[in-house]
Amino acid sequence: MFDVILRACRHPILYSGVRRITTLTFKEKIHETGDIYSFIFTAANLPSWQAGQHSIFTIPARPVEGKTWRPFSVASSPHENEIRIGTIVSAEPSSFKHHLSTLNPGDKIRMFGPYGELYITKKMRHVVGVAGGIGITPFRSIIADLAKNPTDTKLTLIYSAREGQHAYRGDLEKWREQNPNIEIIYTTTPEEVNAELAKQVEAYKNDAHYLLSGPPKMIEALCSKLSESGIAKDHVLNDPFKGY
Ligand SMILES: Cc1cc2nc3c(=O)[nH]c(=O)nc-3n(C[C@H](O)[C@H](O)[C@H](O)COP(=O)(O)OP(=O)(O)OC[C@H]3O[C@@H](n4cnc5c(N)ncnc54)[C@H](O)[C@@H]3O)c2cc1C
């Protein structure tokens, strides 16, 4: 929470989006791979957002125990006209995820946002993305958006997940074929991620911006590596998925 407040103080406009509250209607739950599921919601009037941003979600009609809210990246892109949450639901989920997972079509939840700084701006000529596991969610949105609205920006995404557990791979490949500026490198180990990132840093240095998303430990390690390699702080944007 302290981290979020700090970021909001640094980027008050980007974070002011959290004040926008939208009631969402649950449409369907989709099994992606392993214990990863997508939850699809619609709304009469969806707010505008930048592909890659996240929101805070609550389920007011359910008796959620403990922390009653969770931040999730919006895994859909604005043109898909729906809100998609992609998350892990384990065999013994938290109370929040139990209630998310047992929603019935038509049930309502509440969304605060979207907001946040993990998105591609016009000044970014080359973007190197790293997604660790479920950290793929903001990149699903970003890549869908780049496929629909191609720009001159080149995106190289290093997507790391356990063998056979690369969620959304079918969608990502379809969109990659629509925009030659998108490259996706699938990896399965931290060593491969480090090696692929080192190649990108060597090739693009501070001409690139680095967008990182996934477990906090992974983000911390990658930020240190980028800093040691001389990458400027303002060329690194990250969403540590606290809770993993
Ligand atoms: C910007 C952002 C975007 C995110 N996007 C996604 C997404 O797209 N998909 C996704 O699955 N998850 C995402 N997360 C993480 C998500 O909010 C949940 O924390 C996560 O899914 C685990 O939820 P849970 O209910 O299973 O476990 P939880 O009950 O939330 O937590 C599991 C463990 O983590 C600890 N914990 C929880 N929150 C914090 C915190 N803030 N700081 C320190 N420790 C904590 C708990 O004490 C517990 O031990 C995102 C987080 C952030 C900050």
Side-chain angles (χ1 to χ4, degrees), residues 1 4 54-55 67 69-75 85-88 90 93-97 115 134-135 137-138 239-244:
M1 179 54 85
V4 175
H54 61 275
S55 295
K67 200 174 82 179
W69 54 274
R70 293 289 186 283
F72 291 113
S73 299
V74 178
I85 294 173
T87 192
I88 294 174
S90 59
S94 64
S95 173
F96 184 95
K97 286 199 180 164
Y115 64 99
I134 194 64
T137 47
D239 267 355
F241 281 14
K242 303 246 172 70
Y244 285 117

PDB file of all heavy atoms in Angstrom, residues 1 4 54-55 67 69-75 85-88 90 93-97 115 134-135 137-138 239-244, ligand 1:
ATOM      1  N   MET A   1       0.833  -1.202   0.000  1.00  0.00           N
ATOM      2  CA  MET A   1       0.000   0.000   0.000  1.00  0.00           C
ATOM      3  C   MET A   1       0.872   1.259   0.000  1.00  0.00           C
ATOM      4  O   MET A   1       0.616   2.203  -0.725  1.00  0.00           O
ATOM      5  CB  MET A   1      -0.932  -0.044   1.224  1.00  0.00           C
ATOM      6  CG  MET A   1      -1.844   1.164   1.345  1.00  0.00           C
ATOM      7  SD  MET A   1      -2.849   1.502  -0.125  1.00  0.00           S
ATOM      8  CE  MET A   1      -4.239   0.454   0.149  1.00  0.00           C
ATOM      9  N   VAL A   4       2.118   2.027  -3.366  1.00  0.00           N
ATOM     10  CA  VAL A   4       1.094   2.615  -4.244  1.00  0.00           C
ATOM     11  C   VAL A   4       0.952   4.106  -3.952  1.00  0.00           C
ATOM     12  O   VAL A   4       0.884   4.935  -4.869  1.00  0.00           O
ATOM     13  CB  VAL A   4      -0.275   1.898  -4.055  1.00  0.00           C
ATOM     14  CG1 VAL A   4      -1.359   2.577  -4.864  1.00  0.00           C
ATOM     15  CG2 VAL A   4      -0.163   0.439  -4.439  1.00  0.00           C
ATOM     16  N   HIS A  54      -4.032  -0.901 -14.586  1.00  0.00           N
ATOM     17  CA  HIS A  54      -4.734  -1.815 -13.685  1.00  0.00           C
ATOM     18  C   HIS A  54      -5.836  -1.082 -12.920  1.00  0.00           C
ATOM     19  O   HIS A  54      -5.910   0.154 -12.961  1.00  0.00           O
ATOM     20  CB  HIS A  54      -3.762  -2.475 -12.710  1.00  0.00           C
ATOM     21  CG  HIS A  54      -3.036  -1.518 -11.817  1.00  0.00           C
ATOM     22  ND1 HIS A  54      -1.885  -0.874 -12.193  1.00  0.00           N
ATOM     23  CD2 HIS A  54      -3.319  -1.074 -10.571  1.00  0.00           C
ATOM     24  CE1 HIS A  54      -1.469  -0.090 -11.209  1.00  0.00           C
ATOM     25  NE2 HIS A  54      -2.316  -0.187 -10.214  1.00  0.00           N
ATOM     26  N   SER A  55      -6.676  -1.850 -12.240  1.00  0.00           N
ATOM     27  CA  SER A  55      -7.771  -1.286 -11.432  1.00  0.00           C
ATOM     28  C   SER A  55      -7.804  -1.998 -10.092  1.00  0.00           C
ATOM     29  O   SER A  55      -7.197  -3.061  -9.922  1.00  0.00           O
ATOM     30  CB  SER A  55      -9.126  -1.512 -12.115  1.00  0.00           C
ATOM     31  OG  SER A  55      -9.211  -0.818 -13.328  1.00  0.00           O
ATOM     32  N   LYS A  67      -8.921  -8.916   3.545  1.00  0.00           N
ATOM     33  CA  LYS A  67      -8.835  -7.762   2.630  1.00  0.00           C
ATOM     34  C   LYS A  67      -9.909  -7.895   1.551  1.00  0.00           C
ATOM     35  O   LYS A  67      -9.971  -8.914   0.865  1.00  0.00           O
ATOM     36  CB  LYS A  67      -7.431  -7.726   2.003  1.00  0.00           C
ATOM     37  CG  LYS A  67      -7.061  -6.372   1.435  1.00  0.00           C
ATOM     38  CD  LYS A  67      -5.617  -6.345   0.965  1.00  0.00           C
ATOM     39  CE  LYS A  67      -5.479  -6.945  -0.416  1.00  0.00           C
ATOM     40  NZ  LYS A  67      -4.110  -6.930  -0.926  1.00  0.00           N
ATOM     41  N   TRP A  69     -10.455  -6.047  -1.153  1.00  0.00           N
ATOM     42  CA  TRP A  69     -10.164  -5.525  -2.492  1.00  0.00           C
ATOM     43  C   TRP A  69      -8.872  -6.137  -3.023  1.00  0.00           C
ATOM     44  O   TRP A  69      -8.022  -6.576  -2.250  1.00  0.00           O
ATOM     45  CB  TRP A  69     -10.041  -3.997  -2.451  1.00  0.00           C
ATOM     46  CG  TRP A  69      -9.048  -3.505  -1.428  1.00  0.00           C
ATOM     47  CD1 TRP A  69      -9.287  -3.269  -0.105  1.00  0.00           C
ATOM     48  CD2 TRP A  69      -7.654  -3.240  -1.628  1.00  0.00           C
ATOM     49  NE1 TRP A  69      -8.128  -2.864   0.527  1.00  0.00           N
ATOM     50  CE2 TRP A  69      -7.113  -2.830  -0.382  1.00  0.00           C
ATOM     51  CE3 TRP A  69      -6.810  -3.298  -2.736  1.00  0.00           C
ATOM     52  CZ2 TRP A  69      -5.764  -2.491  -0.216  1.00  0.00           C
ATOM     53  CZ3 TRP A  69      -5.465  -2.956  -2.574  1.00  0.00           C
ATOM     54  CH2 TRP A  69      -4.959  -2.553  -1.324  1.00  0.00           C
ATOM     55  N   ARG A  70      -8.766  -6.170  -4.345  1.00  0.00           N
ATOM     56  CA  ARG A  70      -7.530  -6.648  -4.985  1.00  0.00           C
ATOM     57  C   ARG A  70      -7.253  -5.783  -6.208  1.00  0.00           C
ATOM     58  O   ARG A  70      -8.179  -5.499  -6.986  1.00  0.00           O
ATOM     59  CB  ARG A  70      -7.669  -8.094  -5.494  1.00  0.00           C
ATOM     60  CG  ARG A  70      -7.835  -9.165  -4.446  1.00  0.00           C
ATOM     61  CD  ARG A  70      -6.563  -9.409  -3.666  1.00  0.00           C
ATOM     62  NE  ARG A  70      -6.695 -10.540  -2.758  1.00  0.00           N
ATOM     63  CZ  ARG A  70      -7.333 -10.510  -1.588  1.00  0.00           C
ATOM     64  NH1 ARG A  70      -7.911  -9.408  -1.176  1.00  0.00           N
ATOM     65  NH2 ARG A  70      -7.388 -11.589  -0.828  1.00  0.00           N
ATOM     66  N   PRO A  71      -5.996  -5.384  -6.407  1.00  0.00           N
ATOM     67  CA  PRO A  71      -5.650  -4.777  -7.695  1.00  0.00           C
ATOM     68  C   PRO A  71      -5.420  -5.884  -8.729  1.00  0.00           C
ATOM     69  O   PRO A  71      -4.797  -6.892  -8.414  1.00  0.00           O
ATOM     70  CB  PRO A  71      -4.328  -4.040  -7.413  1.00  0.00           C
ATOM     71  CG  PRO A  71      -3.855  -4.486  -6.070  1.00  0.00           C
ATOM     72  CD  PRO A  71      -4.848  -5.438  -5.492  1.00  0.00           C
ATOM     73  N   PHE A  72      -5.954  -5.698  -9.916  1.00  0.00           N
ATOM     74  CA  PHE A  72      -5.665  -6.596 -11.040  1.00  0.00           C
ATOM     75  C   PHE A  72      -5.408  -5.740 -12.280  1.00  0.00           C
ATOM     76  O   PHE A  72      -6.113  -4.737 -12.498  1.00  0.00           O
ATOM     77  CB  PHE A  72      -6.852  -7.519 -11.358  1.00  0.00           C
ATOM     78  CG  PHE A  72      -7.127  -8.566 -10.315  1.00  0.00           C
ATOM     79  CD1 PHE A  72      -8.287  -8.518  -9.564  1.00  0.00           C
ATOM     80  CD2 PHE A  72      -6.239  -9.609 -10.092  1.00  0.00           C
ATOM     81  CE1 PHE A  72      -8.564  -9.481  -8.603  1.00  0.00           C
ATOM     82  CE2 PHE A  72      -6.501 -10.583  -9.132  1.00  0.00           C
ATOM     83  CZ  PHE A  72      -7.667 -10.514  -8.382  1.00  0.00           C
ATOM     84  N   SER A  73      -4.460  -6.151 -13.093  1.00  0.00           N
ATOM     85  CA  SER A  73      -4.285  -5.499 -14.388  1.00  0.00           C
ATOM     86  C   SER A  73      -5.513  -5.794 -15.233  1.00  0.00           C
ATOM     87  O   SER A  73      -6.090  -6.877 -15.128  1.00  0.00           O
ATOM     88  CB  SER A  73      -3.048  -6.052 -15.096  1.00  0.00           C
ATOM     89  OG  SER A  73      -1.917  -5.796 -14.309  1.00  0.00           O
ATOM     90  N   VAL A  74      -5.884  -4.843 -16.069  1.00  0.00           N
ATOM     91  CA  VAL A  74      -6.980  -5.105 -17.003  1.00  0.00           C
ATOM     92  C   VAL A  74      -6.357  -5.849 -18.181  1.00  0.00           C
ATOM     93  O   VAL A  74      -5.524  -5.299 -18.903  1.00  0.00           O
ATOM     94  CB  VAL A  74      -7.659  -3.798 -17.456  1.00  0.00           C
ATOM     95  CG1 VAL A  74      -8.757  -4.101 -18.458  1.00  0.00           C
ATOM     96  CG2 VAL A  74      -8.217  -3.057 -16.245  1.00  0.00           C
ATOM     97  N   ALA A  75      -6.724  -7.113 -18.349  1.00  0.00           N
ATOM     98  CA  ALA A  75      -6.066  -7.949 -19.357  1.00  0.00           C
ATOM     99  C   ALA A  75      -6.663  -7.769 -20.749  1.00  0.00           C
ATOM    100  O   ALA A  75      -6.108  -8.263 -21.729  1.00  0.00           O
ATOM    101  CB  ALA A  75      -6.136  -9.418 -18.939  1.00  0.00           C
ATOM    102  N   ILE A  85     -10.237  -9.901 -16.259  1.00  0.00           N
ATOM    103  CA  ILE A  85      -9.252 -10.130 -15.202  1.00  0.00           C
ATOM    104  C   ILE A  85      -8.661 -11.504 -15.474  1.00  0.00           C
ATOM    105  O   ILE A  85      -9.395 -12.461 -15.706  1.00  0.00           O
ATOM    106  CB  ILE A  85      -9.923 -10.143 -13.801  1.00  0.00           C
ATOM    107  CG1 ILE A  85     -10.483  -8.766 -13.448  1.00  0.00           C
ATOM    108  CG2 ILE A  85      -8.942 -10.622 -12.738  1.00  0.00           C
ATOM    109  CD1 ILE A  85     -11.306  -8.761 -12.150  1.00  0.00           C
ATOM    110  N   GLY A  86      -7.335 -11.610 -15.433  1.00  0.00           N
ATOM    111  CA  GLY A  86      -6.697 -12.919 -15.569  1.00  0.00           C
ATOM    112  C   GLY A  86      -5.975 -13.217 -14.276  1.00  0.00           C
ATOM    113  O   GLY A  86      -5.149 -12.414 -13.832  1.00  0.00           O
ATOM    114  N   THR A  87      -6.301 -14.335 -13.639  1.00  0.00           N
ATOM    115  CA  THR A  87      -5.662 -14.595 -12.343  1.00  0.00           C
ATOM    116  C   THR A  87      -5.536 -16.087 -12.051  1.00  0.00           C
ATOM    117  O   THR A  87      -6.147 -16.923 -12.722  1.00  0.00           O
ATOM    118  CB  THR A  87      -6.431 -13.888 -11.202  1.00  0.00           C
ATOM    119  OG1 THR A  87      -5.634 -13.934 -10.011  1.00  0.00           O
ATOM    120  CG2 THR A  87      -7.785 -14.513 -10.929  1.00  0.00           C
ATOM    121  N   ILE A  88      -4.725 -16.368 -11.033  1.00  0.00           N
ATOM    122  CA  ILE A  88      -4.537 -17.748 -10.583  1.00  0.00           C
ATOM    123  C   ILE A  88      -5.577 -18.049  -9.509  1.00  0.00           C
ATOM    124  O   ILE A  88      -5.727 -17.283  -8.562  1.00  0.00           O
ATOM    125  CB  ILE A  88      -3.110 -17.919 -10.001  1.00  0.00           C
ATOM    126  CG1 ILE A  88      -2.080 -17.732 -11.118  1.00  0.00           C
ATOM    127  CG2 ILE A  88      -2.960 -19.270  -9.312  1.00  0.00           C
ATOM    128  CD1 ILE A  88      -0.642 -17.732 -10.647  1.00  0.00           C
ATOM    129  N   SER A  90      -6.119 -21.055  -7.043  1.00  0.00           N
ATOM    130  CA  SER A  90      -5.563 -22.340  -6.603  1.00  0.00           C
ATOM    131  C   SER A  90      -6.666 -23.205  -6.000  1.00  0.00           C
ATOM    132  O   SER A  90      -7.808 -22.768  -5.849  1.00  0.00           O
ATOM    133  CB  SER A  90      -4.454 -22.089  -5.579  1.00  0.00           C
ATOM    134  OG  SER A  90      -5.006 -21.378  -4.495  1.00  0.00           O
ATOM    135  N   PRO A  93      -8.358 -21.280  -2.622  1.00  0.00           N
ATOM    136  CA  PRO A  93      -8.184 -19.846  -2.897  1.00  0.00           C
ATOM    137  C   PRO A  93      -8.463 -18.979  -1.677  1.00  0.00           C
ATOM    138  O   PRO A  93      -9.110 -19.422  -0.727  1.00  0.00           O
ATOM    139  CB  PRO A  93      -9.219 -19.580  -3.992  1.00  0.00           C
ATOM    140  CG  PRO A  93     -10.281 -20.592  -3.767  1.00  0.00           C
ATOM    141  CD  PRO A  93      -9.601 -21.809  -3.204  1.00  0.00           C
ATOM    142  N   SER A  94      -7.993 -17.736  -1.729  1.00  0.00           N
ATOM    143  CA  SER A  94      -8.345 -16.759  -0.691  1.00  0.00           C
ATOM    144  C   SER A  94      -9.850 -16.527  -0.770  1.00  0.00           C
ATOM    145  O   SER A  94     -10.496 -16.864  -1.774  1.00  0.00           O
ATOM    146  CB  SER A  94      -7.596 -15.449  -0.945  1.00  0.00           C
ATOM    147  OG  SER A  94      -8.012 -14.881  -2.176  1.00  0.00           O
ATOM    148  N   SER A  95     -10.398 -15.913   0.285  1.00  0.00           N
ATOM    149  CA  SER A  95     -11.838 -15.651   0.312  1.00  0.00           C
ATOM    150  C   SER A  95     -12.234 -14.796  -0.897  1.00  0.00           C
ATOM    151  O   SER A  95     -13.248 -15.064  -1.560  1.00  0.00           O
ATOM    152  CB  SER A  95     -12.193 -14.935   1.623  1.00  0.00           C
ATOM    153  OG  SER A  95     -13.532 -14.524   1.614  1.00  0.00           O
ATOM    154  N   PHE A  96     -11.405 -13.791  -1.225  1.00  0.00           N
ATOM    155  CA  PHE A  96     -11.720 -12.919  -2.364  1.00  0.00           C
ATOM    156  C   PHE A  96     -11.829 -13.745  -3.642  1.00  0.00           C
ATOM    157  O   PHE A  96     -12.795 -13.634  -4.402  1.00  0.00           O
ATOM    158  CB  PHE A  96     -10.648 -11.832  -2.518  1.00  0.00           C
ATOM    159  CG  PHE A  96     -10.967 -10.840  -3.607  1.00  0.00           C
ATOM    160  CD1 PHE A  96     -11.598  -9.639  -3.303  1.00  0.00           C
ATOM    161  CD2 PHE A  96     -10.661 -11.108  -4.935  1.00  0.00           C
ATOM    162  CE1 PHE A  96     -11.917  -8.727  -4.306  1.00  0.00           C
ATOM    163  CE2 PHE A  96     -10.977 -10.207  -5.943  1.00  0.00           C
ATOM    164  CZ  PHE A  96     -11.606  -9.013  -5.630  1.00  0.00           C
ATOM    165  N   LYS A  97     -10.829 -14.610  -3.851  1.00  0.00           N
ATOM    166  CA  LYS A  97     -10.834 -15.369  -5.115  1.00  0.00           C
ATOM    167  C   LYS A  97     -11.927 -16.436  -5.128  1.00  0.00           C
ATOM    168  O   LYS A  97     -12.457 -16.769  -6.181  1.00  0.00           O
ATOM    169  CB  LYS A  97      -9.456 -15.959  -5.368  1.00  0.00           C
ATOM    170  CG  LYS A  97      -8.478 -14.879  -5.810  1.00  0.00           C
ATOM    171  CD  LYS A  97      -7.271 -15.421  -6.494  1.00  0.00           C
ATOM    172  CE  LYS A  97      -6.362 -14.270  -6.895  1.00  0.00           C
ATOM    173  NZ  LYS A  97      -5.015 -14.742  -7.232  1.00  0.00           N
ATOM    174  N   TYR A 115      -6.040   2.823 -13.814  1.00  0.00           N
ATOM    175  CA  TYR A 115      -5.027   3.840 -13.593  1.00  0.00           C
ATOM    176  C   TYR A 115      -3.666   3.149 -13.632  1.00  0.00           C
ATOM    177  O   TYR A 115      -3.579   1.937 -13.823  1.00  0.00           O
ATOM    178  CB  TYR A 115      -5.265   4.543 -12.241  1.00  0.00           C
ATOM    179  CG  TYR A 115      -5.121   3.620 -11.056  1.00  0.00           C
ATOM    180  CD1 TYR A 115      -3.942   3.602 -10.315  1.00  0.00           C
ATOM    181  CD2 TYR A 115      -6.136   2.743 -10.699  1.00  0.00           C
ATOM    182  CE1 TYR A 115      -3.797   2.739  -9.240  1.00  0.00           C
ATOM    183  CE2 TYR A 115      -5.992   1.878  -9.632  1.00  0.00           C
ATOM    184  CZ  TYR A 115      -4.821   1.880  -8.902  1.00  0.00           C
ATOM    185  OH  TYR A 115      -4.679   1.022  -7.858  1.00  0.00           O
ATOM    186  N   ILE A 134       1.771 -14.940 -14.344  1.00  0.00           N
ATOM    187  CA  ILE A 134       0.502 -14.222 -14.510  1.00  0.00           C
ATOM    188  C   ILE A 134       0.746 -12.742 -14.820  1.00  0.00           C
ATOM    189  O   ILE A 134      -0.180 -12.021 -15.223  1.00  0.00           O
ATOM    190  CB  ILE A 134      -0.407 -14.425 -13.264  1.00  0.00           C
ATOM    191  CG1 ILE A 134      -1.846 -13.990 -13.528  1.00  0.00           C
ATOM    192  CG2 ILE A 134       0.156 -13.712 -12.038  1.00  0.00           C
ATOM    193  CD1 ILE A 134      -2.557 -14.801 -14.579  1.00  0.00           C
ATOM    194  N   GLY A 135       1.995 -12.308 -14.720  1.00  0.00           N
ATOM    195  CA  GLY A 135       2.384 -10.949 -15.121  1.00  0.00           C
ATOM    196  C   GLY A 135       2.150 -10.690 -16.603  1.00  0.00           C
ATOM    197  O   GLY A 135       2.366  -9.578 -17.095  1.00  0.00           O
ATOM    198  N   THR A 137      -0.728 -10.465 -17.879  1.00  0.00           N
ATOM    199  CA  THR A 137      -2.033  -9.808 -18.077  1.00  0.00           C
ATOM    200  C   THR A 137      -1.941  -8.405 -18.699  1.00  0.00           C
ATOM    201  O   THR A 137      -2.647  -8.138 -19.669  1.00  0.00           O
ATOM    202  CB  THR A 137      -2.861  -9.786 -16.769  1.00  0.00           C
ATOM    203  OG1 THR A 137      -2.015  -9.341 -15.704  1.00  0.00           O
ATOM    204  CG2 THR A 137      -3.417 -11.162 -16.449  1.00  0.00           C
ATOM    205  N   PRO A 138      -1.080  -7.490 -18.193  1.00  0.00           N
ATOM    206  CA  PRO A 138      -1.042  -6.175 -18.864  1.00  0.00           C
ATOM    207  C   PRO A 138      -0.536  -6.269 -20.296  1.00  0.00           C
ATOM    208  O   PRO A 138      -0.947  -5.483 -21.155  1.00  0.00           O
ATOM    209  CB  PRO A 138      -0.093  -5.345 -17.989  1.00  0.00           C
ATOM    210  CG  PRO A 138       0.675  -6.319 -17.183  1.00  0.00           C
ATOM    211  CD  PRO A 138      -0.199  -7.519 -17.018  1.00  0.00           C
ATOM    212  N   ASP A 239       5.131  -3.154 -12.638  1.00  0.00           N
ATOM    213  CA  ASP A 239       3.979  -3.475 -11.795  1.00  0.00           C
ATOM    214  C   ASP A 239       4.317  -4.742 -11.015  1.00  0.00           C
ATOM    215  O   ASP A 239       4.157  -5.856 -11.521  1.00  0.00           O
ATOM    216  CB  ASP A 239       2.727  -3.735 -12.658  1.00  0.00           C
ATOM    217  CG  ASP A 239       1.886  -2.481 -12.839  1.00  0.00           C
ATOM    218  OD1 ASP A 239       2.208  -1.448 -12.226  1.00  0.00           O
ATOM    219  OD2 ASP A 239       0.904  -2.543 -13.605  1.00  0.00           O
ATOM    220  N   PRO A 240       4.823  -4.602  -9.776  1.00  0.00           N
ATOM    221  CA  PRO A 240       5.047  -5.815  -8.979  1.00  0.00           C
ATOM    222  C   PRO A 240       3.694  -6.343  -8.496  1.00  0.00           C
ATOM    223  O   PRO A 240       2.941  -5.599  -7.879  1.00  0.00           O
ATOM    224  CB  PRO A 240       5.905  -5.320  -7.803  1.00  0.00           C
ATOM    225  CG  PRO A 240       6.018  -3.838  -7.930  1.00  0.00           C
ATOM    226  CD  PRO A 240       5.159  -3.375  -9.057  1.00  0.00           C
ATOM    227  N   PHE A 241       3.381  -7.592  -8.809  1.00  0.00           N
ATOM    228  CA  PHE A 241       2.100  -8.178  -8.413  1.00  0.00           C
ATOM    229  C   PHE A 241       2.198  -8.612  -6.955  1.00  0.00           C
ATOM    230  O   PHE A 241       2.405  -9.794  -6.653  1.00  0.00           O
ATOM    231  CB  PHE A 241       1.757  -9.380  -9.302  1.00  0.00           C
ATOM    232  CG  PHE A 241       1.210  -9.009 -10.659  1.00  0.00           C
ATOM    233  CD1 PHE A 241       1.305  -7.722 -11.145  1.00  0.00           C
ATOM    234  CD2 PHE A 241       0.592  -9.978 -11.447  1.00  0.00           C
ATOM    235  CE1 PHE A 241       0.794  -7.384 -12.397  1.00  0.00           C
ATOM    236  CE2 PHE A 241       0.077  -9.656 -12.693  1.00  0.00           C
ATOM    237  CZ  PHE A 241       0.179  -8.363 -13.174  1.00  0.00           C
ATOM    238  N   LYS A 242       2.048  -7.649  -6.024  1.00  0.00           N
ATOM    239  CA  LYS A 242       2.115  -7.977  -4.591  1.00  0.00           C
ATOM    240  C   LYS A 242       1.081  -9.049  -4.280  1.00  0.00           C
ATOM    241  O   LYS A 242      -0.028  -9.003  -4.772  1.00  0.00           O
ATOM    242  CB  LYS A 242       1.808  -6.723  -3.771  1.00  0.00           C
ATOM    243  CG  LYS A 242       2.724  -5.567  -4.081  1.00  0.00           C
ATOM    244  CD  LYS A 242       3.603  -5.221  -2.910  1.00  0.00           C
ATOM    245  CE  LYS A 242       4.649  -4.209  -3.282  1.00  0.00           C
ATOM    246  NZ  LYS A 242       4.071  -2.882  -3.536  1.00  0.00           N
ATOM    247  N   GLY A 243       1.429  -9.997  -3.446  1.00  0.00           N
ATOM    248  CA  GLY A 243       0.507 -11.094  -3.145  1.00  0.00           C
ATOM    249  C   GLY A 243       1.008 -12.394  -3.763  1.00  0.00           C
ATOM    250  O   GLY A 243       0.501 -13.459  -3.444  1.00  0.00           O
ATOM    251  N   TYR A 244       2.013 -12.294  -4.662  1.00  0.00           N
ATOM    252  CA  TYR A 244       2.636 -13.510  -5.231  1.00  0.00           C
ATOM    253  C   TYR A 244       4.058 -13.617  -4.724  1.00  0.00           C
ATOM    254  O   TYR A 244       4.714 -12.631  -4.481  1.00  0.00           O
ATOM    255  CB  TYR A 244       2.644 -13.465  -6.758  1.00  0.00           C
ATOM    256  CG  TYR A 244       1.278 -13.726  -7.354  1.00  0.00           C
ATOM    257  CD1 TYR A 244       0.629 -12.759  -8.103  1.00  0.00           C
ATOM    258  CD2 TYR A 244       0.644 -14.946  -7.126  1.00  0.00           C
ATOM    259  CE1 TYR A 244      -0.634 -12.991  -8.637  1.00  0.00           C
ATOM    260  CE2 TYR A 244      -0.618 -15.186  -7.658  1.00  0.00           C
ATOM    261  CZ  TYR A 244      -1.251 -14.208  -8.409  1.00  0.00           C
ATOM    262  OH  TYR A 244      -2.495 -14.450  -8.925  1.00  0.00           O
TER     263      TYR A 244
HETATM  264  C1  LIG B   1      -0.530  -3.309  -9.930  1.00  0.00           C
HETATM  265  C2  LIG B   1      -0.943  -4.733  -9.630  1.00  0.00           C
HETATM  266  C3  LIG B   1      -1.506  -5.506 -10.633  1.00  0.00           C
HETATM  267  C4  LIG B   1      -1.862  -6.826 -10.379  1.00  0.00           C
HETATM  268  N1  LIG B   1      -2.398  -7.567 -11.388  1.00  0.00           N
HETATM  269  C5  LIG B   1      -2.701  -8.862 -11.176  1.00  0.00           C
HETATM  270  C6  LIG B   1      -3.235  -9.666 -12.225  1.00  0.00           C
HETATM  271  O1  LIG B   1      -3.467  -9.207 -13.350  1.00  0.00           O
HETATM  272  N2  LIG B   1      -3.493 -10.964 -11.945  1.00  0.00           N
HETATM  273  C7  LIG B   1      -3.270 -11.503 -10.699  1.00  0.00           C
HETATM  274  O2  LIG B   1      -3.514 -12.695 -10.511  1.00  0.00           O
HETATM  275  N3  LIG B   1      -2.788 -10.770  -9.698  1.00  0.00           N
HETATM  276  C8  LIG B   1      -2.499  -9.464  -9.897  1.00  0.00           C
HETATM  277  N4  LIG B   1      -2.018  -8.714  -8.861  1.00  0.00           N
HETATM  278  C9  LIG B   1      -1.901  -9.343  -7.526  1.00  0.00           C
HETATM  279  C10 LIG B   1      -3.306  -9.437  -6.887  1.00  0.00           C
HETATM  280  O3  LIG B   1      -3.725  -8.169  -6.434  1.00  0.00           O
HETATM  281  C11 LIG B   1      -3.338 -10.432  -5.707  1.00  0.00           C
HETATM  282  O4  LIG B   1      -2.513  -9.986  -4.668  1.00  0.00           O
HETATM  283  C12 LIG B   1      -2.891 -11.819  -6.118  1.00  0.00           C
HETATM  284  O5  LIG B   1      -3.679 -12.261  -7.197  1.00  0.00           O
HETATM  285  C13 LIG B   1      -3.016 -12.799  -4.965  1.00  0.00           C
HETATM  286  O6  LIG B   1      -4.319 -12.730  -4.476  1.00  0.00           O
HETATM  287  P1  LIG B   1      -4.902 -13.808  -3.473  1.00  0.00           P
HETATM  288  O7  LIG B   1      -6.257 -13.355  -3.103  1.00  0.00           O
HETATM  289  O8  LIG B   1      -4.742 -15.173  -4.056  1.00  0.00           O
HETATM  290  O9  LIG B   1      -3.888 -13.787  -2.257  1.00  0.00           O
HETATM  291  P2  LIG B   1      -3.799 -12.679  -1.143  1.00  0.00           P
HETATM  292  O10 LIG B   1      -4.756 -13.060  -0.070  1.00  0.00           O
HETATM  293  O11 LIG B   1      -3.954 -11.319  -1.732  1.00  0.00           O
HETATM  294  O12 LIG B   1      -2.311 -12.729  -0.647  1.00  0.00           O
HETATM  295  C14 LIG B   1      -1.434 -13.840  -0.641  1.00  0.00           C
HETATM  296  C15 LIG B   1      -0.258 -13.486   0.255  1.00  0.00           C
HETATM  297  O13 LIG B   1       0.337 -12.221  -0.100  1.00  0.00           O
HETATM  298  C16 LIG B   1       0.294 -11.295   0.977  1.00  0.00           C
HETATM  299  N5  LIG B   1      -0.078  -9.965   0.424  1.00  0.00           N
HETATM  300  C17 LIG B   1      -1.229  -9.636  -0.173  1.00  0.00           C
HETATM  301  N6  LIG B   1      -1.228  -8.357  -0.585  1.00  0.00           N
HETATM  302  C18 LIG B   1      -0.036  -7.843  -0.211  1.00  0.00           C
HETATM  303  C19 LIG B   1       0.559  -6.556  -0.338  1.00  0.00           C
HETATM  304  N7  LIG B   1      -0.085  -5.539  -0.925  1.00  0.00           N
HETATM  305  N8  LIG B   1       1.807  -6.385   0.145  1.00  0.00           N
HETATM  306  C20 LIG B   1       2.459  -7.409   0.735  1.00  0.00           C
HETATM  307  N9  LIG B   1       1.941  -8.651   0.888  1.00  0.00           N
HETATM  308  C21 LIG B   1       0.710  -8.866   0.423  1.00  0.00           C
HETATM  309  C22 LIG B   1      -0.758 -11.833   1.915  1.00  0.00           C
HETATM  310  O14 LIG B   1      -0.482 -11.467   3.247  1.00  0.00           O
HETATM  311  C23 LIG B   1      -0.647 -13.350   1.705  1.00  0.00           C
HETATM  312  O15 LIG B   1       0.368 -13.896   2.478  1.00  0.00           O
HETATM  313  C24 LIG B   1      -1.668  -7.387  -9.082  1.00  0.00           C
HETATM  314  C25 LIG B   1      -1.126  -6.599  -8.065  1.00  0.00           C
HETATM  315  C26 LIG B   1      -0.768  -5.288  -8.326  1.00  0.00           C
HETATM  316  C27 LIG B   1      -0.186  -4.461  -7.212  1.00  0.00           C
END
